[in-house]
Amino acid sequence: GESLQFADDKMSGLFSIVKETHLTATEQRLQIDKSFAAFKDLLLMHSVQRPPYSTGLFTLGEMKTILNWMLDSYYRHYKLYQYAFTDRVLMSVTQTHPMDIVETMDQALMQPLCDAMTEEQHMELVSEEQRKLEEAAREQAEADAAAAEAERQARLREEYIAAVP
């Protein structure tokens, strides 16, 4: 950063951008291309004067210099930074033998295969349930339509009575 020889305000802005880029990259575990795109967006926001959305802190030449500096310093060692600053995830694994699970199951839940229904029986059961659901939906739609019609008739009656002198 000192090789860029920026004034204090520009150096502060640059450090903030680099810090935000680094924190975002390590917290979200971003790939290098997504991290670099986020860095470019932040740098662009600080290079264009559009208050309140962005401030024109850096010129185009300074922006190019900063991009080259970040590529040569931070992004050259990106994987190292990711490894060093990313929290480790510890996993606890427990091994269970499959027979331990089967033996503890309730035998009432496990019916013999000879008692199982055939595929045709299952399809008939599913189609019957589907037919019942469709019938219930049709009856509900008819009831809603009847209620809407009764409401419309009542409203028309009220308007008629109000209109008759």
Side-chain angles (χ1 to χ4, degrees), residues 7 18 24 26 46 51 55 68 72 74 81 84 88-89 93 99 108 111 117 129 131 138 149 158:
V18 172
T24 302
T26 54
H46 287 80
T55 59
N68 289 332
D72 288 339
Y74 183 73
Y81 290 125
R88 307 293 187 274
V89 177
V93 178
M99 291 306 293
Q111 297 178 0
M117 67 173 74
E129 289 175 359
R131 187 189 62 75
R138 183 177 44 78
E149 179 63 22
E158 288 175 9

Side-chain angles (χ1 to χ4, degrees), residues 32-155:
I32 192 168
D33 56 339
K34 296 201 187 304
S35 173
F36 187 65
F39 168 73
K40 286 193 305 187
D41 290 343
L42 277 174
L43 186 61
L44 186 62
M45 283 178 53
H46 287 80
S47 299
V48 177
Q49 185 66 28
R50 287 186 337 154
Y53 305 108
S54 61
T55 59
L57 187 61
F58 303 109
T59 64
L60 180 63
E62 292 169 340
M63 194 168 93
K64 289 178 182 178
T65 304
I66 292 170
L67 278 173
N68 289 332
W69 177 76
M70 278 295 282
L71 285 172
D72 288 339
S73 60
Y74 183 73
Y75 286 104
R76 178 177 289 184
H77 307 289
Y78 185 76
K79 287 187 177 183
L80 173 71
Y81 290 125
Q82 286 289 68
Y83 179 77
F85 289 99
T86 302
D87 292 335
R88 307 293 187 274
V89 177
L90 298 177
M91 186 182 304
S92 176
V93 178
T94 314
Q95 185 175 2
T96 305
H97 193 273
M99 291 306 293
D100 294 340
I101 297 171
V102 173
E103 291 175 6
T104 59
M105 289 185 67
D106 187 12
Q107 292 300 324
L109 297 176
M110 299 284 291
Q111 297 178 0
L113 286 178
C114 62
D115 293 342
M117 67 173 74
T118 63
E119 185 176 356
E120 292 83 22
Q121 291 171 333
H122 175 69
M123 293 306 291
E124 287 175 14
L125 183 64
V126 168
S127 64
E128 180 65 25
E129 289 175 359
Q130 181 66 27
R131 187 189 62 75
K132 286 180 181 177
L133 288 174
E134 289 172 355
E135 185 177 324
R138 183 177 44 78
E139 289 173 358
Q140 182 64 37
E142 289 174 0
D144 291 345
E149 179 63 22
E151 182 181 327
R152 187 181 74 81
Q153 290 291 334
R155 192 171 9 109

